[in-house]
Amino acid sequence: MTRVTDTTLRQPQQDRSRATRQRLLSATVECLAELGWAGTTVQVVAERAGVSRGAAQHHFPTREALVSGALEQMSQVRAAETTRAAAALASGRRRTDAVLQTLFSLYSGPVFRAALQLWVAAATDQQLHDQVAPLEAELGRQAHRVALELLRVDEREPGVRETVQATLDMVRGLGLADLLTDDSRRRARILRQWARTLDVVLPEST
């Protein structure tokens, strides 16, 4: 006969709690991307996640707490996505093109749209700014580390850090340009040209 312990009974409850928390975080990212900061309330997120407002506030008492959790969620999602993309990258003369496409993916899609909504709101909301700025700085450092890894370069070499930062600034700008209109054709030409430039100034990336 199997002995039922407190730990055994608690496990399903803990699993449900983690699942609820995950749904809330995913719903927060979706709401930010679609509705913006003003439209992303605890009530709206709870409805999107399919849980009660009380259950949502049990995990995240305030909208600000939801945002902190969502930013961490974004960081984890981006790390997982870039890890998968990096594993699929082949060596060879077209590798740099593929790397730039991977870096561009950091600044496109719902996660980027959600982050952008927070940046805009934080520009005029000091309390939100104080909350978002450190988390966004960590996302920036993460993107920089990913770029160094994918390009196979060492930022201790002269000019490498600045070139990598310029690359990230460029792909972020291309992501912004793609928000309102389909910018894919122009973007493809720019990324191809920049890949050729990187292959000259960062020979290690070829």
Side-chain angles (χ1 to χ4, degrees):
M1 181 176 178
T2 303
R3 182 186 176 193
V4 178
T5 65
D6 288 343
T7 300
T8 304
L9 292 172
R10 282 198 303 269
Q11 189 61 44
Q13 182 177 357
Q14 291 171 348
D15 291 342
R16 288 194 298 272
S17 179
R18 282 193 293 268
T20 298
R21 179 183 174 87
Q22 184 61 42
R23 289 203 306 274
L24 287 166
L25 292 176
S26 296
T28 301
V29 174
E30 292 174 6
C31 289
L32 282 169
E34 297 173 17
L35 307 174
W37 168 247
T40 303
T41 65
V42 174
Q43 180 64 40
V44 168
V45 170
E47 291 175 358
R48 177 69 65 96
V51 303
S52 68
R53 182 188 178 103
Q57 290 183 313
H58 171 73
H59 290 278
F60 303 101
T62 65
R63 180 168 62 160
E64 288 71 25
L66 264 174
V67 167
S68 291
L71 282 171
E72 293 174 6
Q73 167 88 346
M74 291 178 203
S75 177
Q76 293 168 6
V77 168
R78 292 210 315 191
E81 289 175 346
T82 52
T83 296
R84 287 194 298 270
L89 288 175
S91 298
R93 60 189 300 269
R94 298 301 300 272
R95 177 184 168 84
T96 311
D97 289 310
V99 167
L100 290 180
Q101 290 293 340
T102 299
L103 293 177
F104 171 75
S105 72
L106 296 176
Y107 301 101
S108 61
V111 171
F112 176 63
R113 287 175 181 268
L116 182 60
Q117 294 290 343
L118 287 178
W119 298 344
V120 173
T124 55
D125 184 328
Q126 187 61 48
Q127 182 178 356
L128 182 61
H129 176 275
D130 293 343
Q131 179 186 6
V132 168
L135 295 169
E136 179 55 35
E138 177 54 35
L139 287 175
R141 287 189 290 269
Q142 181 188 86
H144 187 82
R145 289 193 296 269
V146 166
L148 290 172
E149 178 183 349
L150 295 184
L151 290 168
R152 297 173 174 173
V153 291
D154 185 346
E155 69 175 338
R156 292 173 295 184
E157 294 294 325
V160 167
R161 179 176 179 82
E162 291 77 12
T163 302
V164 169
Q165 280 301 137
T167 299
L168 291 173
D169 286 346
M170 182 192 69
V171 294
R172 181 168 51 239
L174 291 173
L176 288 170
D178 204 49
L179 286 173
L180 297 179
T181 59
D182 182 1
D183 196 48
S184 55
R185 293 182 63 182
R186 185 180 74 94
R187 181 176 69 248
R189 294 195 302 271
I190 292 172
L191 291 179
R192 281 197 300 271
Q193 179 58 40
W194 190 246
R196 288 193 286 268
T197 300
L198 291 180
D199 284 340
V200 172
V201 301
L202 300 175
E204 299 88 344
S205 67
T206 59

